[in-house]
């Protein structure tokens, strides 16, 4: 480690992944450990908040021990502790935040409470040589969010967000309806890649008519359309049906991105969140960046899902400004802009 290099310990526990990482100021991941709770929540078809919070309590300190031992980094080497403070499940958030506060107090290390969405954006900068120049356009697509945000030197402006379900939530709900389990994204993506998207007739989302100039997302319509097909049609070829579903979901993302790109002047397109692992999302983002001559930032697959490295990475600007939080900061389950 060079003398000037600074490191942040990042803690993520806002939903069902317990994850801790150490990241250096070049945004290289020094070490990361994640415990996924999918195998537990899959039994219930979705995340059960109380179970998630209890598991975070069980995992968080053994995980920290492993990180500290395997990296051989001492608490005195750590420049700040970053932790997700919003948005998320309240019990889950509390576990990470209380652990971070305890460590901050015990080790005498400054504390930075971060917005999970800023973390997702930073996930695309991990292990890259540089971060994008501002202004850039950011698409966050996950189980909780579908939004397009303009990031400038002055802050962030939301251009598009969903009125109802997030894209990942639509995958998860459709998967549950089709008996494919939780989480739905990876399994539907796999089926879709083997299917023919022209075999089923599903409507384009928010296209034409009163929606011509709309900027928002909405995925409740496609969910109902999928329910109708699944309930009424016989001998369904899931590969073909999911191929059409995936094309429709991602086509709306593509249309909204194209419109946002045409209205501004951006250096880069940054795509992140659990659904940024999707094969069609990655294909569309790559084509759009190419067409509009934008630098493309897509996270490595292992940083698409919730993780501690992205939380640490998102805190470096605040470390540089010594913009720390006091020990009495609150968790907040809702989405609100800011820190
Ligand atoms: O970012 P994330 O780990 O958690 C949230 O903050 O929501 O995202 C999880 C979401 C789930 O809804 C999951 O089904 C979806 O990301 N997902 C995918 C894929 N992999 C994960 N959705 C579509 N295609 C995928 N390959
Ligand atoms: Zn997330």
């Amino acid at each position: 480690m060079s003398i000037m290099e600074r490191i942040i310990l990042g803690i993520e526990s806002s939903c069902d992944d317990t994850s801790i990482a150490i990241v250096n100021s070049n945004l290289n991941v020094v070490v990361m450990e994640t415990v996924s709770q999918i195998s537990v929540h899959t039994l219930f078809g979705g995340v059960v908040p109380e179970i998630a919070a209890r598991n975070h309590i069980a995992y968080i300190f053994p995980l920290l021990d492993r990180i500290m031992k395997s990296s051989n980094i001492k608490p005195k080497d750590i420049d700040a502790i970053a932790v997700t403070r919003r948005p998320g499940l309240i019990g889950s958030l509390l576990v990470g935040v209380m652990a971070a506060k305890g460590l901050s107090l015990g080790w005498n290390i400054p504390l930075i409470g971060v917005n999970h969405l800023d973390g997702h954006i930073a996930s695309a900068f991990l292990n890259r040589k540089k971060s994008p120049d501002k202004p850039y356009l950011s698409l966050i697509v996950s189980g909780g969010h579908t939004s397009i945000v303009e990031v400038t030197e002055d802050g962030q402006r939301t251009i598009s967000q969903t009125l109802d379900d997030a894209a990942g939530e639509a995958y998860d709900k459709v998967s549950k309806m089709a008996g494919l389990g939780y989480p739905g994204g990876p399994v539907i993506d796999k089926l879709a890649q083997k299917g023919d998207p022209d075999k089923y007739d599903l409507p384009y989302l928010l296209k034409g008519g009163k929606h011509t100039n709309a900027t928002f997302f909405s995925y409740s319509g496609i969910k109902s359309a999928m329910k109708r097909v699944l309930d009424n049609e016989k001998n369904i070829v899931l590969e073909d049906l999911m191929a059409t579903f995936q094309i429709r979901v991602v086509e709306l993302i593509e249309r909204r991105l194209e419109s946002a790109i045409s209205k501004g002047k951006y250096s880069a397109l940054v795509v992140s969140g659990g659904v940024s692992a999707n094969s069609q999302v990655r294909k569309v983002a790559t084509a759009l960046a190419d067409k509009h001559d934008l630098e493309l930032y897509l996270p490595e697959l292992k940083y698409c899902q919730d993780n501690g490295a992205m939380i640490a990475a998102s805190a470096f600007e605040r470390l540089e400004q010594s913009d720390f939080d006091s020990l009495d900061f609150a968790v907040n389950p809702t989405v609100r802009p800011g820190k």
Side-chain angles (χ1 to χ4, degrees), residues 14 116 120 142 145 273-274 304-306 310:
S14 65
H116 183 79
H120 272 303
S142 71
H145 310 279
C304 289
Q305 77 179 92
D306 293 346
M310 70 186 200

Side-chain angles (χ1 to χ4, degrees), residues 282-333:
R282 293 177 94 86
K283 203 187 284 173
V284 159
T286 306
L288 276 176
D290 208 35
K291 178 174 166 194
H292 295 279
D293 203 19
L294 299 169
E295 212 176 331
L296 178 65
Y297 284 80
L298 267 175
E300 291 171 50
L301 286 178
K302 65 178 167 211
Y303 302 122
C304 289
Q305 77 179 92
D306 293 346
N307 65 83
M310 70 186 200
I311 301 306
S314 74
F316 273 98
E317 270 182 38
R318 289 190 51 200
L319 172 62
E320 273 160 33
Q321 294 155 8
S322 298
D323 178 12
F324 302 124
D325 285 307
S326 57
L327 276 172
D328 60 356
F329 80 77
V331 298
N332 184 337

Side-chain angles (χ1 to χ4, degrees), residues 214-278:
T215 54
F216 55 83
F217 291 98
S218 167
Y219 287 112
S220 54
I222 185 98
K223 210 178 56 190
S224 310
M226 287 294 283
K227 183 161 170 42
R228 270 196 301 277
V229 176
L230 288 164
D231 285 352
N232 299 320
E233 296 211 12
K234 297 206 169 58
N235 304 321
I236 290 173
V237 181
L238 275 180
E239 286 84 350
D240 295 341
L241 179 61
M242 294 310 174
T244 319
F245 169 74
Q246 176 144 301
I247 290 280
R248 292 289 181 271
V249 167
V250 181
E251 190 272 339
L252 179 62
I253 293 173
E254 181 179 16
R255 224 180 319 132
R256 294 291 183 257
L257 276 177
E258 181 97 55
S259 155
I261 291 168
S262 70
K263 287 183 190 142
K265 217 168 162 16
Y266 304 107
S267 72
L269 173 62
V270 179
V271 180
S272 62
V275 186
S276 68
N278 183 269

Side-chain angles (χ1 to χ4, degrees), residues 12 14-17 116-117 120 140-145 166-172 182-190 193 246 272-281 301 304-307 310:
E12 159 62 34
S14 65
C15 189
D16 61 340
D17 291 304
H116 183 79
L117 299 185
H120 272 303
I140 303 167
V141 255
S142 71
H145 310 279
E169 199 176 352
Y171 271 91
D172 294 338
Y182 172 85
V187 50
I188 290 181
D189 190 9
K190 217 177 255 168
Q193 289 180 64
Q246 176 144 301
S272 62
V275 186
S276 68
N278 183 269
S279 60
Q280 184 66 11
V281 168
L301 286 178
C304 289
Q305 77 179 92
D306 293 346
N307 65 83
M310 70 186 200

Side-chain angles (χ1 to χ4, degrees), residues 1-221:
M1 225 176 354
S2 79
I3 291 174
M4 291 312 291
E5 200 165 81
R6 306 180 87 189
I7 61 172
I8 297 183
L9 178 85
I11 300 177
E12 159 62 34
S13 73
S14 65
C15 189
D16 61 340
D17 291 304
T18 324
S19 182
I20 305 183
I22 291 175
V23 174
N24 67 26
S25 37
N26 295 321
L27 303 192
N28 290 321
V29 182
V30 178
V31 61
M32 180 172 104
E33 294 267 0
T34 302
V35 184
S36 162
Q37 301 181 19
I38 282 177
S39 59
V40 181
H41 298 288
T42 200
L43 302 172
F44 304 95
V47 178
V48 183
E50 180 63 17
I51 294 176
R54 288 176 189 219
N55 281 330
H56 286 309
I57 291 172
Y59 300 148
I60 200 156
F61 283 108
L63 215 52
L64 180 73
D65 274 349
R66 280 237 301 260
I67 288 272
M68 299 305 283
K69 282 196 186 110
S70 68
S71 66
N72 218 6
I73 285 172
K74 301 281 169 283
K76 67 174 174 44
D77 300 327
I78 298 172
D79 296 282
I81 295 169
V83 61
T84 304
R85 73 184 288 193
R86 71 157 63 134
L89 302 171
I90 191 95
S92 291
L93 286 167
L94 274 169
V95 178
V97 166
M98 294 314 290
K101 287 181 177 180
L103 292 174
S104 168
L105 191 64
W107 288 346
N108 196 21
I109 299 172
L111 190 60
I112 301 175
V114 310
N115 185 319
H116 183 79
L117 299 185
D118 291 337
H120 272 303
I121 294 177
S123 72
F125 313 151
L126 288 165
N127 296 335
R128 294 274 298 234
K129 297 241 157 29
K130 66 181 267 296
S131 309
D133 297 325
K134 292 172 185 164
Y136 61 81
L137 206 59
S138 157
L139 166 74
I140 303 167
V141 255
S142 71
H145 310 279
T146 308
S147 43
I148 298 175
V149 175
E150 177 186 74
V151 182
T152 67
E153 292 295 350
D154 297 331
Q156 300 183 359
R157 180 176 71 91
T158 301
I159 295 172
S160 297
Q161 61 187 332
T162 182
L163 293 186
D164 38 58
D165 290 348
E169 199 176 352
Y171 271 91
D172 294 338
K173 288 182 177 167
V174 164
S175 176
K176 194 172 180 178
M177 284 183 228
L180 296 171
Y182 172 85
V187 50
I188 290 181
D189 190 9
K190 217 177 255 168
L191 286 168
Q193 289 180 64
K194 288 187 255 163
D196 177 349
D198 294 324
K199 289 276 160 66
Y200 285 89
D201 190 20
L202 288 171
Y204 280 88
L205 312 188
L206 308 172
K207 198 161 189 180
K210 66 176 181 182
H211 295 306
T212 303
N213 296 315
T215 54
F216 55 83
F217 291 98
S218 167
Y219 287 112
S220 54

